[in-house]
Amino acid sequence: YKVSIPLDVYKVVRHADLRDVRVFNADGEVVPHVVTRSAGSVSVKSEPIELRRFPVYASEKSQLGDLDLQIKRDAQGTVINLSNRSGVTGQNKLVGYLLDGSKVGPAVKEIELQWSDSVANYVGSVTVEASDDLATWRTLAKDAPITRMKFGDHMLDQRRVKFAATPLIYLRISARSTTENDAPLPELTRILAIPAELSTEAPRTWTTIAGKPVANKPGDYEFDVGAQVPIDRIHVELPQMNTLVQMDLLARGSEKEAWQSIAQTTAYRITQSGREFNSDDIPINRDGRRYWLMRIAQRGGGLGKDNPSLKIGWLADQILFLARGHGPFQLAYGAEGVKSGEVAIASLMTTVDGKGGIQAQSINLGPPAALGG
């Protein structure tokens, strides 16, 4: 099983590395556990998207790149009409397709060509090109092989064309014909765009701490997080509009330790044309220290009379444990003087079956209860 560590645990643990955490079963036995860090980003897989397609026919000697195409668009910018301005007659050959990818959104890493099952055997190659303006084209894949062949009960099916992930507006596909006997490109029934997986930041837990001015030290403000959470994002909240300051962020694990510099940055909160602009979040290396100090340069008047706040964000660690024995299970934490009790069970998640490992079931914690005071 796996469970995310809540703020209540971070407030009580004696060590930022969570060495004083144990999991017990109903018989009071310690069960195997390990603390795992949450990934800073997650991959988001998108479903294939069908592209609007426009077949292009030309004379036997024409190629798609040689055609002078007239393009029209609707109000949404979609291609709605193609015509051959050159006036060539006898257009009896399918030379390719123009595709509208303006509504796809994410970057695309491959396309899949589909045609009727009545075309049982086809071997050929296509060139895929991309354009932002329908005038200038860049090659994504040249002479990429595609085939669909059936022999008895066997099927060889390769109708995907791969290329480097790229945002698409328009595509064109042209079939290569080297001899007069080459099979023409089949009439395509669907063309699918396969989006590249997107990476997005995992959601963080955020809390805001009010700053307290340090006596006899203008521009210094102290913050007590009240817990040893694994901070990796910090946002400075300035009290007054139209403020810009140079500052140094420092941290320490206890009130007896010396301050250590973590980041030097510029923080601002300004308005322009009725809109408010704030400085970005500050990314830092994971830091579980409880006490923080904001040291603001006094050039330009500092902050004025009001105090700043510090908004901190973190990705909660997870406890991964094996449910040996009888439940319910207890997550215990906060004991003094204990050494790490972790075991290497995280490898089970990737190596047991060779296909991604055992999948841990997520569970929730009940309310906390005091054990040893």
Side-chain angles (χ1 to χ4, degrees), residues 160-367:
R160 286 195 173 189
V161 180
K162 299 181 179 180
F163 41 80
T166 183
L168 299 182
I169 298 182
Y170 301 107
L171 279 178
R172 70 182 184 189
I173 301 174
S174 55
R176 179 184 180 187
S177 296
T178 55
T179 69
E180 294 182 357
N181 296 325
D182 285 348
L185 181 69
E187 294 274 359
L188 300 180
T189 56
R190 297 179 78 202
I191 302 176
L192 301 178
I194 315 298
E197 290 188 3
L198 300 178
S199 181
T200 182
E201 283 203 342
R204 284 173 171 77
T205 302
W206 291 88
T207 190
T208 301
I209 305 114
K212 296 181 180 180
V214 179
N216 301 320
K217 291 187 177 181
D220 281 14
Y221 300 86
E222 286 188 336
F223 303 83
D224 182 359
V225 177
Q228 299 185 84
V229 293
I231 303 167
D232 68 349
R233 291 289 187 277
I234 292 178
H235 184 79
V236 178
E237 296 189 339
L238 301 175
Q240 295 188 55
M241 198 66 69
N242 292 326
T243 299
L244 185 147
V245 293
Q246 300 288 329
M247 57 179 296
D248 190 7
L249 276 175
L250 304 98
R252 63 184 181 185
S254 70
E255 294 177 322
K256 297 179 180 180
E257 296 178 10
W259 292 107
Q260 292 185 343
S261 179
I262 302 299
Q264 294 179 333
T265 186
T266 299
Y268 58 86
R269 182 187 177 194
I270 60 177
T271 57
Q272 185 176 21
S273 303
R275 296 178 59 193
E276 181 174 333
F277 297 87
N278 291 276
S279 49
D280 294 334
D281 297 341
I282 305 168
I284 64 170
N285 293 329
R286 175 187 163 106
D287 197 312
R289 284 177 283 193
R290 172 175 171 173
Y291 300 98
W292 290 76
L293 176 68
M294 185 185 297
R295 182 164 287 162
I296 296 176
Q298 295 302 289
R299 295 188 300 273
L303 293 183
K305 63 179 181 178
D306 298 320
N307 301 331
S309 296
L310 207 59
K311 187 176 180 182
I312 61 170
W314 71 92
L315 296 167
D317 295 306
Q318 291 185 327
I319 296 290
L320 184 69
F321 72 94
L322 298 178
R324 184 182 64 201
H326 303 288
F329 296 87
Q330 281 190 324
L331 176 65
Y333 50 95
E336 277 281 17
V338 295
K339 297 181 180 180
S340 175
E342 296 184 30
V343 293
I345 61 174
S347 59
L348 294 175
M349 309 302 290
T350 55
T351 61
V352 166
D353 61 3
K355 298 179 181 179
I358 291 174
Q359 298 300 309
Q361 179 180 339
S362 295
I363 56 174
N364 296 317
L365 290 172

Side-chain angles (χ1 to χ4, degrees), residues 12 16 20 43 68 96 141 153 159 212 241 275 314 369:
V12 177
D20 50 318
S43 295
D68 187 11
D153 296 332
R159 290 183 286 179
K212 296 181 180 180
M241 198 66 69
R275 296 178 59 193
W314 71 92

Side-chain angles (χ1 to χ4, degrees), residues 67-84:
L67 298 180
D68 187 11
L69 301 176
Q70 185 176 11
I71 310 299
K72 295 183 179 180
R73 304 177 180 86
D74 59 19
Q76 287 73 40
T78 303
V79 177
I80 60 174
N81 185 51
L82 294 176
S83 62
N84 187 347

